[in-house]
Amino acid sequence: MSAWNLQRRLVAAAVVWLLVALGLGGAALSLVFREAVVARFDAKLAVLTDGLASDVVRGDDGALAITGAHPNFRESTLGWYWILEIDERRRTSSEAAALEGFPTPMPGRVGGLVVSEAPGPDDVPLRAATLRLPPADGEPVRLTVALDRRDIDQEIRSFAGLLVVSAAVLGVVLVVGVAVQVRFGLAPLRRLRADLSAVEKGHLEAVPETYPNDIRPVVNALNGVLVPHTSLTAWAPPRPGPIAHPLQPQI
């Protein structure tokens, strides 16, 4: 196997491991980022839900209502919704029919919070947090805040695109670095091949011993074979020319 073939094999093996490492690392980073984005979004839902819970009041008609809500809840196109439920009765921040059938799981205890997802108005994907409030007149009460989750998806896609570009640039840099490193590391082998060629052509009597310690035993072994062979060749008597046969008649 030539040094060039060995170089290609080493670089190819390194590239395979780099691709595997970059792929696994990228997948891990993407997963961690996704979980962080979702956790931040859920924290926002929890804050909004707690804030709205403090704005739940009983109206003049005795029914519960929400006052002082964030202005974004008043504009349905922004994708902010609240749902207040007393037993089976429901009030919503929007008249959209999709909110009438939006599923709201009941937390297991008062103060418990459950996160869920379902399509909202115009089939927009919503991520919601449902908080169980103290009962009113003996009836269970729960408050749900739902937000457009496409912001999460857009942020994850942006990060994934940036991650792919970064991994590609890093991969190219690492492959070039590996190729340079392998070529530098195999330089003594290329020099050894040149020295062996010089010995074969008679330009050198033996392979010089100016090699790294890892290759010097190989050089010594080669010289142990080449030097005696060269000495025998140098001291071999010349072959005699053709001799006339004594019985050959003289003309």
Side-chain angles (χ1 to χ4, degrees):
M1 178 185 299
S2 67
W4 171 242
N5 287 335
L6 180 59
Q7 176 176 315
R8 285 191 298 180
R9 289 169 64 91
L10 290 174
V11 172
V15 168
V16 170
W17 283 113
L18 283 175
L19 291 177
V20 172
L22 288 174
L24 293 177
L29 285 175
S30 181
L31 179 60
V32 170
F33 181 81
R34 180 185 180 88
E35 291 182 350
V37 171
V38 172
R40 187 174 71 245
F41 194 87
D42 289 347
K44 179 180 178 180
L45 282 173
V47 170
L48 289 173
T49 305
D50 288 339
L52 278 179
S54 63
D55 294 330
V56 175
V57 298
R58 187 178 293 274
D60 297 336
D61 58 355
L64 296 181
I66 294 179
T67 61
H70 193 284
N72 285 1
F73 287 107
R74 302 190 188 103
E75 182 58 55
S76 61
T77 58
L78 297 178
W80 287 40
Y81 307 99
W82 59 257
I83 301 172
L84 180 61
E85 296 172 277
I86 306 169
D87 195 14
E88 299 299 328
R89 302 184 301 276
R90 171 178 290 198
R91 287 190 173 185
T92 65
S93 60
S94 171
E95 298 300 328
L99 288 182
E100 293 298 328
F102 190 86
T104 54
M106 175 66 78
R109 58 180 177 80
V110 173
L113 191 72
V114 177
V115 176
S116 61
E117 292 186 357
D122 300 324
D123 289 329
V124 172
L126 300 180
R127 188 171 178 87
T130 301
L131 175 66
R132 183 169 180 176
L133 302 178
D137 300 330
E139 296 180 322
V141 180
R142 60 185 182 271
L143 173 64
T144 300
V145 171
L147 301 180
D148 186 347
R149 67 150 293 149
R150 288 180 297 182
D151 294 339
I152 298 178
D153 300 331
Q154 178 60 38
E155 193 169 355
I156 293 174
R157 283 195 299 268
S158 298
F159 178 78
L162 179 62
L163 187 63
V164 169
V165 173
S166 301
V169 173
L170 179 61
V172 171
V173 172
L174 290 177
V175 168
V176 172
V178 166
V180 172
Q181 182 179 1
V182 170
R183 183 171 180 80
F184 176 78
L186 294 180
L189 293 182
R190 290 193 295 273
R191 184 158 61 92
L192 177 59
R193 183 173 59 180
D195 288 342
L196 286 173
S197 178
V199 171
E200 182 182 5
K201 296 176 181 178
H203 301 319
L204 291 175
E205 294 183 357
V207 178
E209 297 183 359
T210 57
Y211 281 89
N213 294 333
D214 295 337
I215 300 180
R216 193 170 298 170
V218 177
V219 173
N220 293 336
L222 288 173
N223 283 335
V225 175
L226 294 174
V227 171
H229 176 73
T230 304
S231 301
L232 289 175
T233 303
W235 287 97
R239 294 183 180 181
I243 303 176
H245 196 280
L247 298 179
Q248 183 176 359
Q250 301 296 325
I251 301 177

